[in-house]
């Protein structure tokens, strides 16, 4: 026998094939880095100018007018190209600039292309212009931690996901001190302009910085980023100015690709319900898009639950001449009942498996939970303000926090005017499972937002679902339908008469193809009892093996697999749509800068249409601001856009819900979105919600 020579590990690692397959650089990466997204028509020429479009109007908040006087009169700006600029325009456009850019908040696929678009446009206008990337988010501005971007760095990240080039952070520039330090940094770097790529809070920050730095002549621009898809801007007349933040499409497609695979797996081994929590701090846009992409059996949409009215309760109250306030808005208990109903109906059709999509922010729309969140936000903010310390550092353990709340409840008994935490609140809070109490009390993020991604929303809901399913099982309501043909074959094999047994065991023996065991039969004992009473077997006889086997097939075992889709999709490399969208947002930002705008957010209209119809614009941020409760007090912020239950996309999902639940004998109606592809014709073009809503 020939002796096999073992190669040394050094030799192995030096082997060219080993080197090739273990290299960090693979083909997909090479293709992504080399690809330059197409430019919108207006950017094909060397110069662009801005035209104010006064057709758009906004309902301006009084507070915004007072706080942001320098930018409140900003208008929507349409970007148009120019062939022959005059000398002074050309000089201004091509002047040597220092531009800073920062990522703020959670990563969203496409951010690097915003930088690439801005960098390409700025360097094209003047190769001596310098672009600085602030490191680790707004902290980089406050602490003057920045790097100068160059070709190598920008080229290394073209069309790639994440915010790895300069990283990100969630710090908010929300104090005079931080504002002053930021201004200092901008002056030290001699910045002409600063671009903030972020969500609603970061664009809010951009507006305040724009106002603050107006007299320094430093222009501040925002770029709408967030996978949550909740920056959607319309004017007062409802005309769409920004249909979707960037990163949404990629994240939704990434989630849908994995959840679509779960639909395939689930309908193959037919034994699991897959519970998929998907990101979206508040709004359910991502869950809605996932529903459209995958046709999962059950998708909860928070905004839909908030609108829920229990008609039977309303009618009962009307009959009694009273008002039942608890009839408005969904409760956790009722929600679990709705999910159970879907599970039980599918089981009856022989499908004790499926896929449920739960948006991470769903609890925000459950009235009873919302009340707790608001109350606890206020309590924590009040505590921090009065004690000038941090609630979470002072009360590190759950028991300490609960004790503090108990103290507040006692205070409410002594002082009628103290209503923020009553004895009733305390009692209700104490019946919540400890892990959920802990979840509701977790540290708020730096913007004072409740961090839904840290709460096991799915565990809360599914805990109730499991409990109720057990009850339904005991009551003989939750049963798996057994195919009649299978039943007959099994009994005939044992030479038994299927009809005489069937009429005793099943409630629908003569009417259906899927047989449901009678609700009175919940064990082998009760099965035998029924057969004996009807005289099909004798008292001293055993239940025939085939009958027992069929019965056991009808007994459901509710098995779940729990998944969280969030950070994975957020880190995905961008879809073609997001690559093109973000690169052109970068070009848009430069056009706004070169045309002396400030306090504007870059946007592209007509995203739902063919690329040739995309229209870059600047949206004034200040007129979009309104007052909202943050950290226990009212603050001017950009409004988050939640799912509109009157929108086409929601109405379509609502109308197809029953079909996708597929609680019938036929096949499931899953859709296979497949993976995100960078190249190839089959790549999905744009979010389905976007297309539907634009119809
Ligand atoms: P942004 O709004 O900053 O883009 O972040 C959105 C998000 O991904 C949410 O979907 C999620 O709830 C949250 O960030 C998670 O935050 P963190 O990254 O701090 O865990």
């Amino acid at each position: 026998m020939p002796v096999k020579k073992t190669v040394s590990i050094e030799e192995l690692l030096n082997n060219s094939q080993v080197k090739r397959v273990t290299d960090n650089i693979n083909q997909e990466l090479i293709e992504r880095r080399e690809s330059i997204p197409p430019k919108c028509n207006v950017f094909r020429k060397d110069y662009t100018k801005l035209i104010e479009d006064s057709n758009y109007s906004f309902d301006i908040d009084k507070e915004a007018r007072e706080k942001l006087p320098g930018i409140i009169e900003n208008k929507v700006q349409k970007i148009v190209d120019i062939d022959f600029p005059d000398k002074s325009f050309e000089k201004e456009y091509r002047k040597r600039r220092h531009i800073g850019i920062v990522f703020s908040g959670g990563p969203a696929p496409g951010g690097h292309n915003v930088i690439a678009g801005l960098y390409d446009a700025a360097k094209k206008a003047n190769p001596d212009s310098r672009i600085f990337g602030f490191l680790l988010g707004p902290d980089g501005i406050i602490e003057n931690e920045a790097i100068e971007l160059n070709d190598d760095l920008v080229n290394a990240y073209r069309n790639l996901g994440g915010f790895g080039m300069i990283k990100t952070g969630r710090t908010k520039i929300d104090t005079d001190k931080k504002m002053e330090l930021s201004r200092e940094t901008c002056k030290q770097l001699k910045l002409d302009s600063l671009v903030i790529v972020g969500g609603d809070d970061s664009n809010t920050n951009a507006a305040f910085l724009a106002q603050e730095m107006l007299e320094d002549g430093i222009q501040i621009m925002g770029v709408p980023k967030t996978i949550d898809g909740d920056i959607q801007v319309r004017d007062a007349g409802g005309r769409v100015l920004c249909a979707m933040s960037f990163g949404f499409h990629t994240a939704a497609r990434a989630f849908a690709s994995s959840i679509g695979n779960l639909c395939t797996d689930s309908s193959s081994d037919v034994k699991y319900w897959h519970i998929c929590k998907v990101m979206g701090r508040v709004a359910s846009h991502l869950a809605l898009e996932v529903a459209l992409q995958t046709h999962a059996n059950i998708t909860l949409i928070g905004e839909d639950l908030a609108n829920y009215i229990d008609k039977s309760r309303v009618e009962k109250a009307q009959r009694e001449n009273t008002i039942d306030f608890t009839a408005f808005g969904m409760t956790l208990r009722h929600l679990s009942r709705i999910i159970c109903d879907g599970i039980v109906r599918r089981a009856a059709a022989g499908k004790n498996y499926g896929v449920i999509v739960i948006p991470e922010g769903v609890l925000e729309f459950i009235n009873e939970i919302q009340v707790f969140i608001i109350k606890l936000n206020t309590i924590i903010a009040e505590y921090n303000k009065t004690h000038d310390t941090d609630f979470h550092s002072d009360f590190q353990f759950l028991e300490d926090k609960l004790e503090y709340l108990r103290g507040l409840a006692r205070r409410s008994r002594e002082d009628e005017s103290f209503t923020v935490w009553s004895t009733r609140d305390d009692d209700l809070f104490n019946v919540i499972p400890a892990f959920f109490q802990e979840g509701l009390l977790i540290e708020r993020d730096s913007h004072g937002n409740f961090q839904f991604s840290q709460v096991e929303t799915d565990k809360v809901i599914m805990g109730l679902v499991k409990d109720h399913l057990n009850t339904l099982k005991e009551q003989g309501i939750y049963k798996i339908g057994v195919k009649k043909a299978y039943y007959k074959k099994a009994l005939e094999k044992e030479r038994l008469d299927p009809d005489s047994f069937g009429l005793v065991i099943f409630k629908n023996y003569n009417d259906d193809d899927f047989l449901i065991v009678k609700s009175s039969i919940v064990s082998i004992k009760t099965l035998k009892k029924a057969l004996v009473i009807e005289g099909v077997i004798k008292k001293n006889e055993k239940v025939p093996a085939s009958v027992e086997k069929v019965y056991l097939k009808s007994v459901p075992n509710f098995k779940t697999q729990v998944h969280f889709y969030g950070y994975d999709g957020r880190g995905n490399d961008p879809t073609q749509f997001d690559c093109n969208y973000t690169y052109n947002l970068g070009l848009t930002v430069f056009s706004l800068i070169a045309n002396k705008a400030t306090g504007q957010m870059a946007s592209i209209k007509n995203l739902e249409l063919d690329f040739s119809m995309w229209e870059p614009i600047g949206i004034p941020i200040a007129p979009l601001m309104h007052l909202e409760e943050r950290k226990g007090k009212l603050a001017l912020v950009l409004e988050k856009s939640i799912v509109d239950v009157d929108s086409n996309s929601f109405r379509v999902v609502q109308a197809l819900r029953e079909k996708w639940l597929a609680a019938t004998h036929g096949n499931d109606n899953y859709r296979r979105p497949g993976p995100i592809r960078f190249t190839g014709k089959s790549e999905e073009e744009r979010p389905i919600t976007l297309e539907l809503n634009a119809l």
Side-chain angles (χ1 to χ4, degrees), residues 105-106 170 225-228 279-281 360 453-454 567 570:
R170 287 198 182 276
K225 168 240 65 158
T226 174
I227 62 161
D228 291 2
M279 256 191 190
R281 190 200 307 276
E360 74 168 333
S453 58
Q454 309 296 319
Y567 302 99
R570 213 168 74 164

Side-chain angles (χ1 to χ4, degrees), residues 7-34:
V7 243
S8 74
I9 187 68
E10 286 77 23
E11 268 180 276
L12 191 62
L13 292 177
N14 278 325
N15 176 295
S16 60
Q17 205 172 333
V18 173
K19 276 188 169 165
R20 184 178 56 79
V21 296
T22 57
D23 199 79
N24 288 351
I25 317 280
N26 60 0
Q27 194 51 34
E28 164 94 2
L29 184 66
I30 294 169
E31 281 170 23
R32 279 190 173 266
R33 282 177 171 169
E34 283 175 355

Side-chain angles (χ1 to χ4, degrees), residues 543-610:
V543 173
S546 57
V547 175
E548 186 170 324
K549 187 173 144 198
V550 168
Y551 167 73
L552 290 176
K553 277 217 169 287
S554 78
V555 179
N557 182 6
F558 182 65
K559 290 205 283 187
T560 56
Q561 295 290 344
V562 178
H563 315 261
F564 176 38
Y565 295 105
Y567 302 99
D568 50 344
R570 213 168 74 164
N572 213 102
D573 283 333
T575 55
Q576 277 291 356
F577 173 84
D578 272 328
C579 286
N580 298 348
Y581 180 20
T582 47
Y583 188 72
N584 281 283
L585 280 175
L587 300 177
T588 305
V589 169
F590 180 74
S591 172
L592 294 170
I593 292 172
N595 282 288
K596 301 188 198 157
T598 190
Q600 299 289 91
M601 183 164 81
S603 178
I604 297 186
K605 267 179 43 182
N606 301 340
L607 287 175
E608 72 283 3
L609 302 179
D610 185 75

Side-chain angles (χ1 to χ4, degrees), residues 100-104 114 138 141 173 193-199 201-210 219-225 246 589 600-602 621:
I101 185 160
V102 68
F103 290 136
S104 179
V114 176
I141 311 178
I173 304 175
S193 45
L194 171 64
V195 181
I196 299 182
V197 183
D201 281 320
S202 312
N203 276 283
T204 297
N205 239 208
F208 281 99
L209 285 168
Q219 301 159 265
I220 312 287
M221 239 55 81
V223 179
K225 168 240 65 158
F246 79 78
V589 169
Q600 299 289 91
M601 183 164 81
I621 307 175

Side-chain angles (χ1 to χ4, degrees), residues 137-153:
D139 274 338
I141 311 178
I142 297 166
E143 294 164 14
N144 195 355
E145 288 292 330
I147 48 168
E148 184 171 351
L149 308 184
N150 56 34
D151 289 356
D152 287 347
L153 195 57

